[in-house]
Amino acid sequence: MSSSSAPKRYFHSKNKGEISEWITNLNSDKESVRKDAVKKVIAAMTVGKDVSMLFSELIKCVQTNNIELKKLVYLYIMNYAKTQPDLAIMAVNTFVNDSKHANPLIRGLAVRTMGCIRVHKIVEYLSEPLRRTLQDKNPYVRKTAAIAVAKLYDLDPEMAIDQGFVDLLEEMLTDQNPMVVANAVAALSEIASNSNQIQLAYTSKTIKTLLAALGECTEWGQIYILDSLATYQPKSVKEAEMIAERVLPRFQHANSGVVLSAIKVVLKMMTIIDDESTLSTYRSKIHAPLITLTNSEPEIQYVALRNINLVIQKLPSIFASGDEKIFFCKYNDPIYVKIEKIEIMIKLANEKNINNLLLEFKEYATEIDVEYVRRSVRAIGRCAIKLEGAAQECI
């Protein structure tokens, strides 16, 4: 809970006996009184007060069907679990019971909180609730449990493997719900990046499931799936073309992360494809979204330029003569964007455009920013080394 979203009265209290008053209210028969008291406790916790002595009273309040109250209590438990592990054990029965609750939102809330409690002492008690929620009928609960497995692996890798949680995650890659598939991919990717034991090994069947889920999950789910597809080695040229064709529509996505991840997948597939006409088509389709990204906000533009720099190294012919003008620096560009643009212009330099580029670099060299001037002068020198025929002009 943030101070901006909570009423100010929860954050300003001059009552010296407030702790005893909260204890009384937390034990009230009225749910509204209990909820108001919990909000005051959370507000005090937020501003740095130690309210750990109320742990046993807060645990009692979790026995409710009110999701808002339950969320507040779980927030309190997560905050004090790491510093008060002995107190956190008191909440184990609550998690176990809530993981069996009739309401899927409460089951999901329980498993999400389980994953956020980084305490070794209670891990062994949470294996059965986690196993149950991974096989839950409700997709919301399953997708939440998938992320909890990644957090469990980070805390206790041996248990996650021995108890079969990683195997259950791999089975979830073929789930009927796209959100479950996306979260399973995200969890497995996280585990694989931090482990030498677990390696992502997708089959052709799994790839088809991932591609089917691609258009139906959230944008961040799409990024996880696309990044996983970029690690897959197609079995044939036909499969590579199929994957590339299914990913191409992502070039039109509003999220720049999705676009860049989609480009990465297509570039990987292009290393398998040998038909020149197909490759030429893909190169032209990659060109447009890259140019569009250079007109975004400076932060996104910087990331796009870094990626364009890498793409040019792999596909030097992706930008035609005249495209260098797209990367001319604007007066209001931040310095980090200007430096990346200069790097790209050097890579695009050739006999046809060198005169235009030298005029630009000469203009940049008269600016006030010392680093900008230094990079511009260095760019002229690098162009002279790159293009021997233009060396005299550069000098």
Side-chain angles (χ1 to χ4, degrees):
M1 178 183 292
S2 65
S3 57
S4 61
S5 61
K8 290 182 180 179
R9 64 190 178 91
Y10 293 124
F11 290 88
H12 298 285
S13 176
K14 297 180 180 179
N15 184 4
K16 293 182 179 179
E18 59 187 3
I19 298 294
S20 58
E21 180 188 333
W22 292 346
I23 291 174
T24 303
N25 290 342
L26 288 169
N27 289 295
S28 172
D29 293 333
K30 294 182 179 179
E31 188 176 89
S32 59
V33 175
R34 292 200 304 274
K35 185 162 74 172
D36 194 64
V38 172
K39 286 182 178 179
K40 289 178 180 177
V41 173
I42 297 295
M45 182 183 78
T46 304
V47 296
K49 291 182 181 178
D50 181 14
V51 287
S52 59
M53 74 291 294
L54 299 172
F55 204 99
S56 56
E57 276 71 25
L58 265 292
I59 290 294
K60 295 175 189 174
C61 293
V62 84
Q63 303 300 329
T64 176
N65 288 325
N66 187 306
I67 295 179
E68 183 185 0
L69 178 55
K70 200 175 281 286
K71 280 182 178 179
L72 289 168
V73 177
Y74 276 171
L75 181 63
Y76 175 91
I77 293 170
M78 283 189 287
N79 186 71
Y80 282 108
K82 195 168 185 179
T83 56
Q84 309 277 352
D86 295 330
L87 294 177
I89 293 176
M90 295 168 60
V92 168
N93 285 336
T94 301
F95 296 136
V96 173
N97 292 333
D98 279 356
S99 69
K100 303 175 186 175
H101 201 280
N103 188 334
L105 291 176
I106 291 178
R107 296 201 298 275
L109 181 62
V111 73
R112 184 166 71 241
T113 309
M114 278 187 244
C116 292
I117 295 180
R118 321 287 292 164
V119 179
H120 281 279
K121 286 186 177 181
I122 67 170
V123 166
E124 58 186 277
Y125 300 107
L126 303 180
S127 59
E128 283 310 311
L130 184 55
R131 189 186 310 280
R132 189 185 309 113
T133 49
L134 280 168
Q135 298 169 329
D136 198 279
K137 293 180 180 178
N138 191 283
Y140 170 75
V141 181
R142 293 200 303 277
K143 81 180 184 71
T144 307
I147 299 298
V149 173
K151 293 182 178 180
L152 171 64
Y153 185 91
D154 185 48
L155 194 64
D156 192 340
E158 288 185 11
M159 179 183 173
I161 295 172
D162 295 343
Q163 295 279 344
F165 290 126
V166 176
D167 294 333
L168 285 171
L169 266 186
E170 291 175 351
E171 291 175 14
M172 292 170 80
L173 291 174
T174 55
D175 197 281
Q176 297 299 312
N177 187 282
M179 285 304 302
V180 176
V181 173
N183 278 23
V185 170
L188 283 169
S189 299
E190 179 72 20
I191 290 170
S193 66
N194 297 317
S195 169
N196 295 323
Q197 296 174 274
I198 309 297
Q199 299 295 327
L200 293 176
Y202 297 123
T203 64
S204 296
K205 181 182 177 183
T206 308
I207 292 299
K208 288 179 181 177
T209 307
L210 296 183
L211 289 169
L214 195 56
E216 299 180 48
C217 57
T218 65
E219 52 194 23
W220 299 114
Q222 290 179 44
I223 291 172
Y224 278 117
I225 290 175
L226 288 166
D227 286 346
S228 294
L229 288 172
T231 65
Y232 176 70
Q233 188 68 22
K235 304 293 187 296
S236 64
V237 173
K238 185 177 180 182
E239 186 180 25
E241 289 181 359
M242 181 271 291
I243 293 172
E245 290 296 330
R246 295 285 293 275
V247 168
L248 282 174
R250 300 298 103 199
F251 286 2
Q252 310 302 320
H253 202 281
N255 186 306
S256 55
V258 175
V259 175
L260 290 172
S261 292
I263 289 172
K264 183 163 65 174
V265 175
V266 174
L267 286 172
K268 173 66 180 291
M269 298 306 120
M270 287 173 69
T271 62
I272 311 297
I273 299 167
D274 49 16
D275 181 63
E276 186 52 43
S277 63
T278 305
L279 291 173
S280 178
T281 301
Y282 290 160
R283 280 195 290 268
S284 64
K285 289 185 176 180
I286 288 173
H287 179 271
L290 285 176
I291 298 304
T292 302
L293 288 173
T294 61
N295 296 316
S296 306
E297 303 82 46
E299 294 80 9
I300 294 176
Q301 194 177 348
Y302 173 74
V303 175
L305 290 168
R306 295 283 291 181
N307 280 272
I308 288 170
N309 206 332
L310 294 172
V311 171
I312 291 172
Q313 292 177 44
K314 193 172 183 67
L315 297 173
S317 61
I318 195 166
F319 290 103
S321 182
D323 281 344
E324 72 279 353
K325 293 179 181 178
I326 298 164
F327 302 105
F328 284 178
C329 298
K330 298 174 184 174
Y331 76 94
N332 59 348
D333 279 340
I335 183 64
Y336 54 87
V337 170
K338 288 177 177 176
I339 289 171
E340 286 306 315
K341 285 185 173 180
I342 288 173
E343 288 295 320
I344 291 171
M345 283 190 278
I346 294 169
K347 287 185 172 61
L348 293 177
N350 56 44
E351 286 78 5
K352 293 180 180 178
N353 60 26
I354 187 62
N355 289 330
N356 287 335
L357 291 179
L358 288 176
L359 286 173
E360 280 294 307
F361 294 148
K362 183 180 176 182
E363 185 70 27
Y364 304 158
T366 62
E367 293 289 337
I368 299 172
D369 191 294
V370 176
E371 181 62 21
Y372 187 31
V373 172
R374 186 182 292 124
R375 295 289 184 126
S376 303
V377 173
R378 191 181 300 162
I380 295 172
R382 288 170 66 183
C383 286
I385 295 169
K386 182 180 179 181
L387 304 169
E388 292 183 13
Q392 191 60 40
E393 186 71 24
C394 291
I395 294 170

